[in-house]
Amino acid sequence: MDSFRDKSAAKQAIPTSPNKPRSTKWHRMYFFLAGFDVLVVVLSVLLNHLIVDTYHRSIKANQSWVQQLSSYSTLGSLASTVNAPGNNVFDTHNVEAESRNMNEALRVFNEHLAMAKKQLEVRIAHEAEHSADIQAFTLALKDEVGAVDAAMVEMVNEALLIFSYFREGQSDNAGKRMATMDRKFALLLASLSTVRDRVGLIQSKLLEEELESVEELRRVEYAIMVFVLLMVSAAMIYGGKIRREMESQAAEREGYLAVLRESEKQARQQASLLDKAQDAIVVHGMDNRILYWNKSAERLYGLSKEEALGKSAQELIYQGSAAFNAATNSLIETGDWADEVTLRRRDGCTITLESHRTLVRDDDGQPQSVLSINTDITHRKTAEQEVQRLAFYDQLTGLANRRLMLDRLQHLLAGSSRRLHTSGIILIDLDNFKALNDTLGHDRGDMLLQQVALRLCGCIRESDTVARLGGDEFVVLLDGLNENPPEAAIQAKAIGEKILKSLNISYQLDGYEHHSTPSLGIALFQGQLSTADDILKRADLAMYRAKAAGRNTMRFFDPEMQAVATARARLEVDLRQGLQDNEFILHYQPQVNSEGRIIGAEALMRWQNPERGVVFPGEFIPLAEETGLILPLGRWALQAACTQLVAWARHSETARLGMAVNVSARQFHHPDFVEEVLQVLRYTGADPKKLKLELTEGLLIEDMEGTVAKMIELKEIGIGLSLDDFGTGYSSLSYLKSLPLDQLKIDQSFIRDVLVDSNDAAIACAIVSLSKILGLSVIAEGVETEAQRTFLVKHGCQTYQGFLFSPPLPAEQFVEYVRERFMASTDFPWTKTESP
Ligand SMILES: Nc1nc2c(ncn2[C@@H]2O[C@@H]3COP(=O)(O)O[C@H]4[C@@H](O)[C@H](n5cnc6c(=O)[nH]c(N)nc65)O[C@@H]4COP(=O)(O)O[C@H]3[C@H]2O)c(=O)[nH]1
């Protein structure tokens, strides 16, 4: 972490010195001068050495000449010794002894002379050692030494003569020769003196020459000293500059350090800020070693800073994943990388991160490190997955829901248009599921649905989809069936049979063994010629065929069904258009009492379509219910009926008439239904007491409490309520008791065969009895014959409706009808007045 901080922060904050080249120039100059000075000093030392050496050589030469000189002096004293016997022979009178002494002295003299000559020979042999002058002097000296030698010989010869005189006893001759001897000795001494002078001359010459060369060297030395002085001065000047330069560099360095310290401080502050960041911030080098690890990273990855720093990010965080390398390669290429990453932490938890990685480059543009900022999105992901689960999966069974199934169906359609193969859809509806729910309860119903879901999953391949559309409706999408449709049909049939077989096995529902059967509708498709909706409709049609065929079977969709479906679709379009174009009218069918008096009418809708002609409700009401068009249609019918009621109220012959209006379940359950009725009444001014709403039994299945509440509201307004088609649905005494009804209407299906079918007769009679028990009026619909009417009269039913009296009539004809009947009221035995 620190090294990352040092490198990154310091690099960013510290400027490079602009004086760097100048400093190098002065240093180079300084080192050149210093080097030169060293060279000159070395030369000076050598020169001094040379001077000293010259002195030494000079002294040595002089010493050798002094020795030479002393040897010549020795020769002089030796010559004296040789001379002495000649002088002293008289004192000793021993010639022999003196002769021996002389010979001995002569031998020593000759030895010394020979040595002196040898030395001279050596000097002459080393001609180059000295100048030509000295060489010439030395040669001259050689001659002079030779003269000494000759003088010595002469003197010795004289001495020998003297000795011979003494031996012969000729002392006088000896005495006379003594003077010659002295002369010869003097000559010898003179020669020796010449030699000494010559040596002195050589010495002085030698000294002179040496001194000259020393002078020469001294001059050179002075020159060098001057040069050294100059160089040292120059070096001092440059040194001063360099010192100043170094001082300024030191100041610069101090500034640099101050900036460095400041940047370090900033880096520390940044690091502490980064520690406060919610995101896990990690920096690793190009060798993947972790350089920085903030507090959030400790929390997110469950690893302390000490555990992380220096470790390989790939090993520690990404568990050696190869994807890490791929990401790093792409990062080096593009400089940035971002993606979602799912990791397993050391404690085993799986976390999902939104990871943004940025490549940090150095001043030369080389990749230096990777900064990675990681946001923990585990909770968000879980929430998203949960939302997805809720949005696309059925909560009860865990299967795909309708939305997901439609999405997959769209994909199948797109895919099957690209590829040649056939796809299929199987719609599965459980037979009598509602009965199970009603008898065994919803919990067991749910259990059945869950077990069905499991069995369906066991019947298909993994690539296929099982979905629950809702209730007891399931769908299986089959992908990749044979491209040949007949072959594909065989494959789909096999799967359908497998499903039938599997779902037919009995179910264990919380200790209760239940047997359930399904009805299957299969539709195959190839290419994107139809929409998902069309295909679902086809499967739906096929499924209804299976139901119609007795259930627990399967049916394939065929074109005939398609024709029906197309007709339905066209009907819907026309219905919508008809509503816009006011193509609907009401016909009114009289309701009469046992005395034959018209007590009111039922408003029945007719659709006058320009192409279709008059269309009866049986053809369009179910579709209107399905599509929701019943809401505007029902509103229109209520308003038209109330308007008619107001019109009748204005005429005495129709003023007493009541009006029964059909209300569909969907219309009744609409939250605004009561308010809408009130609005219509207010708008038309109709008398609510003359209005009777005919409700169907089906309406009572859903939301009993709400239904009763609404009925009470309507009753409070004064509106009458009749239960239409009574006997065909869920007729239950318990709910009948609690409903605020005014009338039961015996369904025409019972009336039709009331005289021939004892069951229908019994039901009709039971309904009449029931209505009496409950204090309700009763009306029979579909009365077509006088016999039927007589039967009903006999069994206590006092009001009727049917073709026996009149079919439903247009408004004008109805008024005509009423007028005629009113006029002829006495012709009818059941003209007793009865309120509707
Ligand atoms: N065979 C036979 N039929 C007879 C006889 N007397 C009357 N009918 C028919 O029986 C039906 C009685 O109406 P519904 O049971 O309420 O049954 C009605 C009602 O449920 C519904 N409907 C009609 N108009 C409306 C309306 O404005 N709103 C709603 N929601 N439904 C309506 O359509 C159904 C059929 O109406 P319609 O075709 O007009 O058929 C009428 C009527 O023409 C008879 O003696 N023999």
Side-chain angles (χ1 to χ4, degrees):
M1 165 190 158
D2 291 335
S3 56
F4 159 67
R5 195 178 59 211
D6 291 351
K7 280 177 191 168
S8 61
K11 268 188 181 292
Q12 281 170 19
I14 298 163
T16 49
S17 169
N19 298 328
K20 200 176 171 185
R22 185 160 55 90
S23 164
T24 309
K25 187 182 84 185
W26 285 116
H27 275 92
R28 270 195 208 130
M29 182 65 85
Y30 179 77
F31 284 118
F32 170 74
L33 288 172
F36 197 75
D37 283 354
V38 168
L39 188 70
V40 169
V41 166
V42 169
L43 278 175
S44 305
V45 169
L46 283 175
L47 210 62
N48 262 318
H49 177 73
L50 215 62
I51 292 168
V52 170
D53 195 51
T54 307
Y55 273 122
H56 273 236
R57 263 194 292 112
S58 169
I59 289 163
K60 214 171 153 189
N62 271 315
Q63 273 178 348
S64 87
W65 281 111
V66 166
Q67 275 176 4
Q68 196 106 18
L69 201 62
S70 72
S71 80
Y72 291 132
S73 298
T74 308
L75 281 176
S77 66
L78 284 172
S80 300
T81 312
V82 172
N83 182 35
N87 289 334
N88 297 323
V89 74
F90 300 104
D91 301 331
T92 59
H93 299 288
N94 189 347
V95 174
E96 291 308 319
E98 288 301 326
S99 178
R100 276 198 309 273
N101 286 344
M102 188 198 73
N103 280 328
E104 180 58 26
L106 183 62
R107 192 187 58 80
V108 174
F109 178 84
N110 281 335
E111 269 179 19
H112 277 86
L113 187 65
M115 200 186 299
K117 278 181 177 173
K118 207 174 172 184
Q119 284 174 350
L120 273 175
E121 291 297 332
V122 170
R123 284 181 198 282
I124 290 162
H126 291 90
E127 284 172 19
E129 194 182 343
H130 298 293
S131 68
D133 280 355
I134 292 174
Q135 200 65 27
F137 284 159
T138 311
L139 285 171
L141 183 63
K142 192 184 171 191
D143 294 342
E144 282 158 2
V145 170
V148 167
D149 194 14
M152 187 66 175
V153 169
E154 275 186 32
M155 193 187 79
V156 167
N157 287 339
E158 198 58 41
L160 289 171
L161 186 65
I162 290 167
F163 285 139
S164 66
Y165 279 138
F166 272 117
R167 272 187 213 108
E168 290 167 5
Q170 300 173 7
S171 306
D172 290 345
N173 283 345
K176 284 178 195 168
R177 294 307 294 190
M178 280 301 205
T180 309
M181 174 86 171
D182 285 342
R183 233 182 15 258
K184 299 257 172 144
F185 182 62
L187 280 172
L188 177 64
L189 289 179
S191 289
L192 275 170
S193 171
T194 307
V195 167
R196 272 199 299 274
D197 288 349
R198 177 65 66 192
V199 169
L201 202 65
I202 289 170
Q203 271 184 317
S204 65
K205 188 69 185 169
L206 200 64
L207 198 64
E208 194 183 306
E209 280 186 3
E210 294 298 339
L211 283 174
E212 267 177 24
S213 66
V214 164
E215 260 324 294
E216 196 64 36
L217 286 170
R218 280 217 184 282
R219 273 197 294 280
V220 173
E221 192 183 29
Y222 287 143
I224 287 171
M225 278 172 72
V226 168
F227 197 68
V228 165
L229 217 62
L230 283 171
M231 297 301 275
V232 166
S233 309
M236 279 172 74
I237 292 164
Y238 284 123
K241 277 183 185 284
I242 288 166
R243 184 172 52 77
R244 282 194 295 281
E245 189 66 34
M246 284 168 79
E247 278 170 5
S248 97
Q249 281 182 4
E252 236 174 60
R253 198 164 48 246
E254 195 49 47
Y256 175 91
L257 288 171
V259 173
L260 189 67
R261 279 193 290 275
E262 182 56 30
S263 72
E264 274 184 347
K265 193 175 149 197
Q266 281 178 8
R268 274 196 302 278
Q269 285 170 350
Q270 281 168 6
S272 85
L273 278 176
L274 291 179
D275 268 346
K276 288 186 177 65
Q278 288 296 307
D279 294 334
I281 300 173
V282 176
V283 176
H284 66 76
M286 298 316 293
D287 59 354
N288 294 341
R289 300 278 145 213
I290 295 168
L291 305 170
Y292 179 72
W293 188 261
N294 76 345
K295 282 261 183 293
S296 289
E298 291 191 337
R299 281 193 298 273
L300 183 61
Y301 298 113
L303 293 162
S304 72
K305 189 185 289 181
E306 289 69 29
E307 287 173 302
L309 289 181
K311 304 278 168 44
S312 160
Q314 186 185 19
E315 296 303 324
L316 195 71
I317 308 173
Y318 299 93
Q319 286 104 34
S321 151
F324 176 85
N325 285 338
T328 305
N329 289 342
S330 117
L331 181 69
I332 290 169
E333 268 178 34
T334 61
D336 272 307
W337 179 89
D339 208 345
E340 284 182 9
V341 183
T342 301
L343 299 171
R344 185 172 281 275
R345 277 175 24 150
R346 194 167 58 171
D347 60 5
C349 293
T350 301
I351 52 171
T352 308
L353 314 174
E354 204 169 72
S355 185
H356 291 262
R357 299 174 73 202
T358 306
L359 187 68
V360 180
R361 294 182 183 275
D362 63 14
D363 292 345
D364 302 327
Q366 292 303 310
Q368 186 192 42
S369 54
V370 175
L371 167 68
S372 156
I373 299 174
N374 307 284
T375 311
D376 184 3
I377 56 165
T378 312
H379 292 306
R380 198 185 82 197
K381 273 275 151 196
T382 313
E384 276 175 13
Q385 278 163 6
E386 182 60 14
V387 167
Q388 180 135 358
R389 198 179 63 77
L390 292 172
F392 293 107
Y393 291 90
D394 173 49
Q395 301 307 297
L396 180 67
T397 59
L399 295 178
N401 66 7
R402 174 183 283 274
R403 191 179 294 132
L404 183 57
M405 187 279 296
L406 281 173
D407 184 61
R408 298 215 173 138
L409 183 55
Q410 302 280 18
H411 276 94
L412 269 188
L413 280 166
S416 68
S417 67
R418 279 196 306 275
R419 296 166 283 157
L420 276 173
H421 66 242
T422 311
S423 302
I425 182 168
I426 305 178
L427 187 67
I428 302 143
D429 189 89
L430 301 183
D431 301 329
N432 304 315
F433 177 72
K434 200 176 160 307
L436 164 79
N437 253 350
D438 289 345
T439 51
L440 297 181
H442 286 273
D443 287 349
R444 287 204 176 96
D446 287 350
M447 274 179 211
L448 176 71
L449 293 173
Q450 284 167 335
Q451 291 183 29
V452 166
L454 276 176
R455 291 186 192 184
L456 285 176
C457 290
C459 294
I460 55 148
R461 294 171 306 178
E462 226 168 73
S463 56
D464 298 331
T465 300
V466 184
R468 180 175 167 234
L469 299 189
D472 58 339
E473 256 190 348
F474 295 86
V475 158
V476 171
L477 295 179
L478 303 171
D479 188 17
L481 298 174
N482 197 294
E483 64 184 72
N484 178 16
E487 285 293 325
I490 291 168
Q491 289 174 323
K493 188 166 177 258
I495 298 167
E497 278 165 354
K498 199 172 167 189
I499 290 172
L500 271 173
K501 198 173 164 196
S502 172
L503 299 193
N504 262 278
I505 300 166
S506 60
Y507 299 82
Q508 287 300 323
L509 306 178
D510 196 19
Y512 181 84
E513 189 171 327
H514 177 73
H515 188 259
S516 171
T517 58
S519 294
L520 276 60
I522 305 174
L524 302 178
F525 53 96
Q526 212 179 30
Q528 205 168 11
L529 296 171
S530 345
T531 63
D533 208 34
D534 288 340
I535 290 160
L536 263 178
K537 277 181 186 158
R538 288 179 198 171
D540 199 43
L541 284 169
M543 194 271 289
Y544 276 107
R545 272 289 167 89
K547 289 260 184 217
R551 306 181 178 205
N552 196 21
T553 187
M554 65 177 151
R555 284 288 181 273
F556 276 82
F557 168 82
D558 66 35
E560 197 187 308
M561 293 180 205
Q562 183 63 62
V564 174
T566 311
R568 259 170 78 91
R570 200 172 303 129
L571 185 68
E572 187 184 336
V573 172
D574 288 353
L575 203 56
R576 286 180 194 280
Q577 193 60 45
L579 201 59
Q580 270 185 17
D581 297 348
N582 290 317
E583 291 174 2
F584 295 90
I585 55 164
L586 288 180
H587 281 190
Y588 303 94
Q589 186 174 33
Q591 293 183 337
V592 295
N593 63 13
S594 54
E595 292 168 344
R597 279 191 71 176
I598 303 165
I599 54 172
E602 180 181 6
L604 293 160
M605 208 182 285
R606 299 290 180 263
W607 176 21
Q608 290 181 310
N609 183 268
E611 282 171 22
R612 296 171 187 268
V614 177
V615 186
F616 287 84
E619 278 185 61
F620 64 87
I621 290 287
L623 184 67
E625 293 246 16
E626 225 175 86
T627 54
L629 283 170
I630 194 68
L631 296 175
L633 264 180
R635 233 182 344 259
W636 171 84
L638 186 68
Q639 189 161 322
C642 287
T643 307
Q644 190 59 63
L645 206 52
V646 172
W648 287 345
R650 291 195 198 105
H651 303 281
S652 56
E653 61 267 57
T654 53
R656 293 177 294 110
L657 298 175
M659 180 75 83
V661 179
N662 286 287
V663 174
S664 79
R666 194 160 177 177
Q667 194 184 352
F668 182 84
H669 286 302
H670 193 275
D672 297 335
F673 177 68
V674 176
E675 182 53 38
E676 272 179 10
V677 174
L678 278 170
Q679 269 182 12
V680 169
L681 288 171
R682 271 198 298 270
Y683 179 74
T684 56
D687 179 3
K689 290 194 186 66
K690 292 208 174 105
L691 181 66
K692 184 167 66 180
L693 299 182
E694 290 199 4
L695 312 175
T696 56
E697 277 184 279
L699 175 150
L700 303 167
I701 295 168
E702 199 183 317
D703 183 23
M704 191 66 168
E705 265 183 44
T707 305
V708 171
K710 262 187 192 173
M711 288 169 80
I712 291 170
E713 271 189 80
L714 294 166
K715 283 236 22 118
E716 280 170 356
I717 300 165
I719 297 169
L721 299 174
S722 175
L723 197 55
D724 202 3
D725 309 333
F726 191 72
T728 56
Y730 277 82
S731 306
S732 156
L733 273 178
S734 59
Y735 81 71
L736 267 183
K737 249 171 60 182
S738 58
L739 293 176
L741 287 167
D742 296 285
Q743 186 179 63
L744 296 180
K745 195 169 188 181
I746 308 169
D747 189 69
Q748 58 177 283
S749 60
F750 303 120
I751 305 300
R752 189 167 49 237
D753 295 329
V754 77
L755 298 176
V756 289
D757 187 327
S758 56
N759 279 338
D760 287 351
I763 291 170
C765 292
I767 294 171
V768 175
S769 308
L770 189 65
S771 64
K772 280 189 181 148
I773 294 166
L774 293 171
L776 305 174
S777 69
V778 63
I779 183 168
E781 75 174 355
V783 182
E784 291 182 355
T785 62
E786 181 53 37
Q788 289 167 343
R789 192 193 70 84
T790 307
F791 177 89
L792 290 164
V793 172
K794 191 176 158 197
H795 289 93
C797 180
Q798 302 299 322
T799 44
Y800 326 95
Q801 181 182 337
F803 294 163
L804 174 64
F805 311 100
S806 167
L809 298 168
E812 301 80 32
Q813 288 180 33
F814 177 79
V815 173
E816 273 306 300
Y817 177 82
V818 172
R819 211 166 275 150
E820 282 171 20
R821 294 299 170 277
F822 192 69
M823 300 286 283
S825 60
T826 48
D827 294 341
F828 289 93
W830 57 86
T831 49
K832 197 171 74 184
T833 306
E834 188 177 284
S835 298

